[in-house]
Amino acid sequence: MTEFLHALSIDVEDYFQVLNLRGHVEREDWETLELRCGEATERFLELLDRHQATATFFFLGWIAERLPELVRRVAERGHEIGSHGYDHKVLPELGEDGFREDLRKTSRILREVCGVEPKSFRACTWSIGKKTPWAFRVLRDEGFELDSSVQPVTHPDYGVPGAPRRPYRVEVGDRTILEFPPMTWRVLGRSVPVGGGGFLRLLPTWFFVRGLRQAEADGWPGCIYLHPWELDPEQPRYEVGGLRGFRHYVNLRKTGRKLEKLLGQFRFVGLSEALAQSSSRRAKWAAFKDSELLG
């Protein structure tokens, strides 16, 4: 196994909260549904323990309120605790003031639950983009130091085409936020999102092995992301047609086996630790003003 450190991240949300199921599950019905992400997150913890790996767990505040012991167990095992916002609203829906309140609410919950002030953030559905030019200013003002929300791709739901594919610095006034995009590949001149999720479940494992090896050769860690519901093939099913249904349900039974293969070949840690490795190796960081990136 290589000594190079790659980044693994888990967005802790439940199956009924995802964008692909909007229109099938109403927000007001969440309280009536069985919480399943706790058991699935425990499976992640067992896998990571077995391979002596760590990860960043981006928690929804809504989940942390209801499963505080889960958050504490994750933190006690040495994993990084990050914020995923409160209840999975995309940033354009929240607006600038709503985003600020959402961050504050989630940080307060995580602080009260496990004593950790989150410094890392990932937006629901990668929703920092051209429609949210204020996003990095709000993150700066609320004390965040690392973000992993900008997908450098073209996608119907998200993406900033042309954004860097490897970690970089975002200059926000007199402060800097590190941006850690999920792993992508260049295919026919376009960046294809292959950092995890449905891509990990759909594509063969060798595809991700090659991607991580290429990241190593370039001197930068690759970032892989997953969700607890992807380890839960028995979750309730909805009649979701088309591409959204395919994305959500494809190969759920293969997630665990594929992750186990990657954990057996590469060393994974949380995002902050993986980026600290790059700094210690004096990697040359590109820097962009937030207005350049999102303006």
Side-chain angles (χ1 to χ4, degrees), residues 130 133 136-137 150 152 160-181 220 284-295:
K130 300 292 186 179
F136 283 110
R137 295 197 301 273
V150 180
V160 181
R165 297 172 50 238
R166 68 185 193 184
Y168 53 98
R169 303 182 194 275
V170 181
E171 297 175 349
V172 193
D174 60 352
R175 286 189 50 199
T176 296
I177 293 176
L178 301 182
E179 180 62 33
F180 198 164
W220 294 91
K284 293 182 179 180
W285 291 76
F288 301 83
K289 294 186 183 301
D290 62 324
S291 56
E292 290 180 284
L293 192 65
L294 303 182

Side-chain angles (χ1 to χ4, degrees), residues 72-146:
R72 285 192 280 271
R73 281 196 293 277
V74 170
E76 288 165 359
R77 294 197 195 188
H79 302 287
E80 181 179 12
I81 301 295
S83 170
H84 197 35
Y86 180 70
D87 61 353
H88 218 253
K89 287 189 177 71
V90 294
L91 268 59
E93 287 181 3
L94 287 169
E96 182 174 356
D97 291 339
F99 180 40
R100 191 181 306 277
E101 291 305 311
D102 191 81
L103 283 175
R104 290 177 179 176
K105 183 176 184 178
T106 304
S107 291
R108 174 182 56 77
I109 292 166
L110 292 173
R111 188 168 58 246
E112 291 175 354
V113 164
C114 67
V116 172
E117 184 75 38
K119 297 297 182 182
S120 299
F121 175 75
R122 174 170 291 154
C124 157
T125 320
W126 315 100
S127 56
I128 289 182
K130 300 292 186 179
K131 295 180 180 178
T132 61
W134 33 262
F136 283 110
R137 295 197 301 273
V138 175
L139 287 171
R140 173 202 62 189
D141 293 346
E142 298 306 313
F144 285 85
E145 299 171 354
L146 188 156

Side-chain angles (χ1 to χ4, degrees), residues 214-230:
Q214 182 60 60
E216 290 179 7
D218 292 341
W220 294 91
C223 179
I224 300 292
Y225 66 92
L226 291 153
H227 310 83
W229 53 264
E230 294 182 280

Side-chain angles (χ1 to χ4, degrees), residues 43-44 47 50-51 200-201 203-206 209 226 230-231 233 251-265:
R43 289 185 214 126
F44 272 124
L47 266 172
R50 193 154 61 241
H51 291 277
L200 178 64
R201 290 180 276 122
L203 298 171
T205 308
W206 64 259
V209 171
L226 291 153
E230 294 182 280
L231 278 184
N251 291 340
L252 289 174
R253 295 188 182 280
K254 295 184 177 181
T255 309
R257 293 197 300 274
K258 288 190 170 185
L259 177 58
E260 186 111 45
K261 288 181 180 178
L262 293 177
L263 288 169
Q265 295 184 61

